[in-house]
Structure formats: structure tokens, C-alpha cells
Amino acid sequence: VEPAFADPAASDLAIAATRILGLDLAGVDLLPADDGYVVIEVNGAVEFRPLYSQTTDVFAAAMAGLAQRRTLVAS
């Protein structure tokens, strides 16, 4: 496993797949295809490693986002 930046098209597809399933946090496995990417699976249980983000603590950022969403939903 090596750090890399995601293609914006791959990121957009992963976000769309997560939203369609109504998930707040998920790991999305994609494979390149002739016309973009294809979703292989969406994982509800994700693993966090420091190398998943090159600029911030991805775990802390995800937890802060989920906490903010919970606050907005409860309001």
C-alpha cells in the first residue's frame, strides 16, 4: 500500500455510492474501466491508517464530520 491522490472522478463515484446506500462513512472499492470506474463493493466497516491521508489525521477528520452530522440531525 502506498499513499496516492484519488482521481476526482473516482472520488465522486465513491461519494455517490455511499450516499445511495444512505451511509455516513464507508470504504468504497473501485476498479478502473474503459469509461471511468466501476464500484466493486462498499464496506460499512472501514480501517484507518495514517497513510490514508497525506495532510491530516483521516480518523480524526472522519469522527469530527460524523459528530457534526449527528448534531445537525438531532437539531
Side-chain angles (χ1 to χ4, degrees):
V1 176
E2 294 183 25
F5 288 100
D7 177 338
S11 295
D12 290 346
L13 179 58
I15 291 167
T18 302
R19 286 185 177 155
I20 286 169
L21 293 172
L23 301 173
D24 293 321
L25 177 66
V28 182
D29 296 342
L30 306 174
L31 284 178
D34 291 338
D35 58 348
Y37 295 89
V38 62
V39 175
I40 300 302
E41 67 177 338
V42 179
N43 302 298
V46 295
E47 173 185 2
F48 292 97
R49 295 186 197 181
L51 67 90
Y52 289 165
S53 178
Q54 296 180 349
T55 58
T56 62
D57 178 348
V58 68
F59 180 74
M63 293 301 102
L66 289 171
Q68 181 181 13
R69 175 153 168 70
R70 181 176 178 188
T71 301
L72 292 173
V73 170
S75 297

